[in-house]
Each structure stands twice: as C-alpha cells, then as structure tokens.
C-alpha cells in the first residue's frame, strides 16, 4: 500500500515539507482553480508538478504528483445538456495531457450538484477536538425551512420532520446562516460555493434527470472516456456518493456494491475502476467495506481510508478517528493486502495501491489554524500513523 497525501496547492495550510515529514510517499492533487468543462493545459499541469517536487526552500522534495483528484465532471455532462459534448472532448483532451506528463491514476465523481455534504464542519468531540458531521435533523431543517424546496415535506419521513422542526425552532439566525453556508460551500481548494438561488436552479435542472437516467448518462460518459484512458494507459476510478443516499431528491448512483458492479460492467476495461472510500460508503450500515474490497479488488485503483461513527437510525454520523468508527479498518486493510498479493502473483504493475488518510479530526495545533475543512495537518498525520501501524502489523503476521 502506497501512502499518499491530498494537497490543495500553494494556498494549502499544509506545506510540501509537512507532507514529506508526515510520511507521504506521493501526492494527490488537482488543478482546482480550473472550472469543470475546461481542458487542462500542459503548462498548468507542469506547474503543479513542479510545486510538488520542491520544498519551501526550493530544494527537491522527492515527492511526485501521483493521483489526480479530481478531474471534475461538469453538470452539463451529468445532465447531457448545454455544452456536454464539448466538455467530454475537453475531459478526454485533459486525459491525454495528463498521460503525457506521467500521471496514471485519475479520480472523479458523478455526484449531482453537491459533493461531500456536511451540516457541521467543526463538531466538538469529547476529547476537545473537532470533526465534520452530518446531522440528519439539521439537514432536513435546511431543506424544509431554509431552502424551502417544494417537495421537502413529502420526501422527509414523519419522525425526521418532527425532529427537524424542533431543531429549526431552537436555532438562532446565526445558526441558520452557518448551516446554509456549510451546505452550499464549494469544495476545499476548488470553485466557490453556491447561493441558495443557484442551488434551487440546479435542483430544477435535475427534475428531468431521474435515477435511471443519471445511470444511463454515467454509462454514456464511460463509453466515451474509458477507451481513451485505456489507450493512454490510465486508470480511472470513480468516487462514491457522500453520503451514500439521495439528498434534496437528487439522484445518487454510486452508493452500494450493486452500483459499483453496474459501473465496472458498463465498460469492461482495466481502465474503468473504483475509488474505494471507506468513509463515504461506511455511512451506510449495509455496506461491508472488507467484502466490497474483496469483490471489487481487481478494479480498485485508489483508496480513501477514513472512518465514520453512525449516530442514529436517521442517517446522522460524524468523522471518527481512523480506527474508532463503525468500519472494521483492520479487516478492510487485510482485504487490500490480499488484493495486492494477488496482483503481484499476476505480475500487475499496479500491485501497490495508493491510499491516503482521508479527512481527519482537528486536534492539537490544528485547532488554531484555519485549514481546509476535513484536511487538518495533525489529525491526518495521526490517521496515517494509525493506518501504517495496522499495515505493518498485518504484514508482519503474514511473514511469520
């Protein structure tokens, strides 16, 4: 397993020096400033590669940009409206340039409108640190009373309606504003967030794209881009929905093992694969991460290792310590090591699967810095150390 670290570029609160000190062997990054649908240029890719390759004093870091996360898929592509065909051409052109500059693994997602969604970006934990959290009642309160989506009441189960109503009544104006900001903010290091009116416009756009149609659009997208990736020697890996269930009546199509099976079967190619995110998928009780790794193993090109603690039967959860949530992380890592051993027996060149310690709790000095939500320095360092400990222990046991 190859330890990597997600980096958002020069404005990231974690420097290249710190990534190196944390034990990263490679870097996961992207050109977050380039909007979806726009081709990535060789000059911009080379600039980011150079940034990764240098410490703050200009000396070589020894690190390389190894995984692209993410090459964004535009809403036009997902809905097959507007300039979607031109955007697919730009996506394929970006793949060609990435391959020419030495990149081999490209992560993307097919989530409509909202990427990962959290109601609280600094939920206070018992030990005094903070974590990101999804509170089902808060989200329903936003849907029904802030966004005022017409179908919100119909889509919200009665027990959750009641909890959301009580929660909203207890909120101050500042609480309501903070909740709205958290839910429509842009991705860390990426494009700016949405206004409520922009979100409503996007939701209206998806009124005509039900679940099965979005699945068909994903299959069409794969039919276009996977042959290009295979020819270039690239491995594409789709990230799951986060959380892995419908929000705001938006379709979600990568939430379960059945969804991933449909994805990899849509275009049978070694280039068509999976980003297995244990945190995103682990928010669903019916997702067995070790079993998913065993089933999808040959198609897993990238791993996000994090843990969540499920809080109730309504869908609430928070980001747990990497070894302390509801996912059996040692069992998952054991399944990864089994897959890597199988690949080595087959002589596959990608036997070492890149992983990164995904998200992290804000602890110690993290609490005094304004880092990208979910991406603190020390919290992820702790997570990486814990994961490396599990990996070392399991490998030692295999060698006895």
């Amino acid at each position: 397993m190859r330890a990597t670290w997600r980096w958002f570029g020069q404005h990231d609160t974690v420097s290249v020096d710190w990534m190196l000190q944390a034990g990263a062997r490679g870097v996961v990054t992207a050109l977050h400033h380039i909007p979806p649908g726009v081709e990535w240029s060789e000059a911009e890719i080379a600039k980011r590669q150079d940034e990764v390759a240098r410490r703050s004093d200009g000396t070589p870091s020894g690190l390389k940009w190894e995984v692209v996360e993410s090459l964004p898929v535009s809403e036009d592509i997902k809905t097959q409206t507007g300039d979607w065909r031109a955007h697919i051409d730009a996506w394929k052109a970006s793949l060609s340039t990435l391959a020419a500059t030495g990149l081999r693994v490209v992560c993307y997602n097919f989530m409509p409108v909202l990427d990962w969604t959290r109601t609280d970006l600094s939920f206070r934990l018992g030990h005094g640190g903070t974590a990101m959290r999804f509170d089902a009642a808060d989200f329903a309160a936003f849907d029904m009373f802030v966004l005022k989506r017409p179908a919100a009441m119909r889509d919200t189960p009665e027990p959750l309606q009641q909890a959301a109503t009580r929660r909203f009544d207890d909120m101050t104006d500042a609480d309501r504003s903070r909740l709205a900001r958290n839910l429509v903010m842009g991705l860390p290091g990426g494009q700016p967030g949405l206004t409520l009116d922009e979100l409503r416009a996007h939701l209206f756009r998806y009124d005509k794209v039900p679940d099965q149609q979005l699945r068909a659009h994903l299959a069409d997208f794969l039919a276009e881009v996977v042959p290009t990736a295979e020819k270039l020697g690239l491995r594409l890996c789709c990230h799951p929905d986060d959380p892995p269930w419908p929000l705001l009546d938006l379709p979600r199509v990568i939430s379960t093992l059945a969804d991933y099976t449909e994805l990899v079967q849509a275009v049978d190619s070694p280039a068509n694969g999976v980003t297995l995110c244990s945190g995103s998928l682990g928010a669903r009780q019916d997702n067995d991460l070790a079993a998913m790794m065993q089933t999808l193993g040959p198609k897993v090109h990238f791993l996000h290792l994090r843990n969540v603690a499920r809080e109730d039967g309504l869908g609430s959860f928070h980001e747990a310590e990497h070894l302390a949530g509801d996912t059996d992380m040692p069992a998952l890592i054991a399944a990864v090591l089994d897959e890597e051993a199988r690949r080595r027996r087959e002589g596959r060149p990608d036997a070492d699967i890149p992983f990164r310690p995904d998200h992290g709790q804000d602890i110690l000095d993290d609490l005094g810095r304004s880092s990208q939500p979910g991406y603190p320095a020390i919290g992820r360092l702790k997570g990486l150390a814990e994961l490396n400990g599990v990996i070392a222990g399991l490998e030692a046991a295999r060698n006895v």
Side-chain angles (χ1 to χ4, degrees), residues 169-377:
D169 289 342
D170 290 340
M171 288 180 184
T172 65
D173 288 342
D175 292 334
R176 295 167 184 173
S177 296
R178 181 169 52 253
L179 176 63
R181 285 197 305 271
N182 291 346
L183 288 170
V184 298
M185 70 175 294
L187 287 178
Q191 302 303 308
L194 302 170
T195 66
L196 290 179
D197 284 341
E198 288 170 338
L199 177 56
R200 293 184 185 105
H202 277 297
L203 296 180
F204 178 77
R205 187 179 188 184
Y206 274 91
D207 274 349
K208 298 179 174 60
V209 187
D211 180 275
Q212 287 305 316
Q213 189 165 351
L214 186 63
R215 292 178 188 277
H217 290 177
L218 173 56
D220 291 342
F221 171 72
L222 294 172
E224 287 278 354
V225 303
V226 170
T228 297
E230 183 173 354
K231 181 177 66 176
L232 295 168
L234 296 175
R235 298 185 292 280
L236 306 182
C237 39
C238 187
H239 187 282
D241 305 323
D242 185 8
W245 52 73
L247 298 175
L248 306 178
D249 202 31
L250 290 167
R252 299 286 236 189
V253 297
I254 303 294
S255 296
T256 64
L257 176 58
D259 293 336
Y260 264 131
T261 300
E262 183 176 335
L263 177 138
V264 298
Q265 290 177 349
V267 180
D268 185 12
S269 165
N272 182 24
V274 172
T275 296
L276 196 73
C277 178
S278 59
S280 300
L281 295 165
R284 282 182 70 126
Q285 189 172 0
D286 56 345
N287 280 338
D288 181 332
L289 270 297
M292 292 179 79
M293 182 66 211
Q294 290 164 355
T295 301
L296 297 168
K299 294 289 191 176
V300 175
H301 299 321
F302 186 32
L303 292 156
H304 290 179
L305 298 183
R306 63 179 171 89
N307 223 320
V308 298
R310 298 187 291 269
E311 299 176 12
D312 53 34
L314 300 175
S316 301
F317 62 87
H318 66 269
E319 308 274 6
E321 294 172 289
H322 283 72
L323 303 184
D326 285 303
T327 290
D328 186 341
M329 192 65 71
L332 171 57
I333 291 175
V336 175
L337 294 175
D338 286 343
E339 171 59 22
E340 289 188 329
R342 189 193 64 77
R343 293 184 185 191
R344 291 190 184 95
R345 291 193 297 271
E346 290 184 355
R348 278 180 57 162
D350 60 341
D352 290 335
I353 302 174
F355 77 94
R356 64 175 179 85
D358 194 17
H359 295 184
Q361 297 179 348
D362 285 72
I363 57 174
L364 306 178
D365 287 354
D366 292 332
L367 296 167
R369 281 191 297 271
S370 180
S371 63
Q372 288 83 1
Y375 294 95

Side-chain angles (χ1 to χ4, degrees), residues 136-137 140 144 153 156-167 313-314:
M144 294 189 297
M153 292 291 186
T156 306
E158 181 64 28
L160 189 52
Q161 281 189 35
Q162 295 175 6
T165 300
R166 291 192 297 269
R167 185 68 57 79
L314 300 175

Side-chain angles (χ1 to χ4, degrees), residues 5-7 14-28 52 63 384:
W5 190 275
R6 191 174 193 185
W7 192 55
V14 176
S15 67
V16 171
D17 306 54
W18 288 8
M19 288 190 286
L20 192 61
Q21 293 165 24
R25 297 167 62 195
V27 176
V28 177
V52 167
L63 294 173
L384 180 56

